[in-house]
Amino acid sequence: MNNKYSDILHLPYQKSKKHPPMLNSHRAAQFAPFAALTGHDMAVREVARLTADKVELDESSINRLNEKIQLLKEHLLNRPRVTITYFQHDEKKSGGAYVTTNGYVKKIDDYQNILVMREGTLISFSDIFDIECHELFCDEGF
């Protein structure tokens, strides 16, 4: 055998007295794949995520929604249960998505033009697309 390490090839392994052995989890980290473009994958997904444009309601639809909001104000002490479809603006991109929520109306703030749900959701009047009421009094104008 003409190997230049043949003189030490069969010697027993000697553990270092200065350095403790490396943990397997640390050893594995040395061979982990290198991600040169950290966050690139998330950025591509964000760009590909679709948002919708807000639908502009016509005058009759706006009047109908105002009537429903007025009826809810009149029966607010009954804590009416409603289903509201509204436009939720996207925090990162232009546009947003239409969301439907079910719950009880807690408060209607005419000063800020918002409807407050019992679970804390704040809905701007201008973002409301539709309101469905689930109470008996709703037959009056819904």
Side-chain angles (χ1 to χ4, degrees):
M1 185 184 219
N2 263 345
N3 192 344
K4 64 182 190 177
Y5 298 109
S6 61
D7 57 333
I8 62 169
L9 191 60
H10 299 292
L11 292 178
Y13 175 73
Q14 295 179 351
K15 292 183 181 180
S16 172
K17 294 178 183 172
K18 286 185 184 179
H19 305 288
M22 184 182 285
L23 296 173
N24 283 340
S25 60
H26 292 172
R27 185 181 308 276
Q30 291 181 349
F31 302 103
F34 174 66
L37 299 173
T38 304
H40 180 265
D41 198 32
M42 287 180 4
V44 168
R45 273 185 271 149
E46 177 61 28
V47 169
R49 187 171 56 87
L50 298 177
T51 57
D53 292 331
K54 185 176 176 182
V55 174
E56 295 297 325
L57 298 176
D58 61 5
E59 194 68 31
S60 64
S61 297
I62 292 172
N63 290 336
R64 183 86 171 125
L65 282 175
N66 287 337
E67 290 171 6
K68 289 180 179 184
I69 291 170
Q70 186 61 40
L71 189 59
L72 287 173
K73 280 187 218 176
E74 293 170 9
H75 296 279
L76 199 56
L77 293 176
N78 300 336
R79 299 284 187 234
R81 188 169 70 89
V82 295
T83 299
I84 299 179
T85 302
Y86 64 99
F87 186 77
Q88 188 172 45
H89 297 274
D90 196 290
E91 295 176 2
K92 297 181 181 180
K93 297 170 79 170
S94 64
Y98 279 92
V99 179
T100 300
T101 185
N102 294 306
Y104 296 89
V105 178
K106 178 179 178 181
K107 178 181 173 184
I108 296 176
D109 186 343
D110 285 324
Y111 182 71
Q112 294 182 339
N113 290 328
I114 59 172
L115 190 137
V116 182
M117 302 298 284
R118 186 167 65 184
E119 66 276 357
T121 305
L122 304 175
I123 304 170
S124 173
F125 290 172
S126 62
D127 292 333
I128 296 175
F129 182 74
D130 189 30
I131 301 174
E132 284 183 44
C133 187
H134 303 286
E135 305 297 328
L136 294 176
F137 69 83
C138 295
D139 295 336
E140 298 173 26
F142 277 67

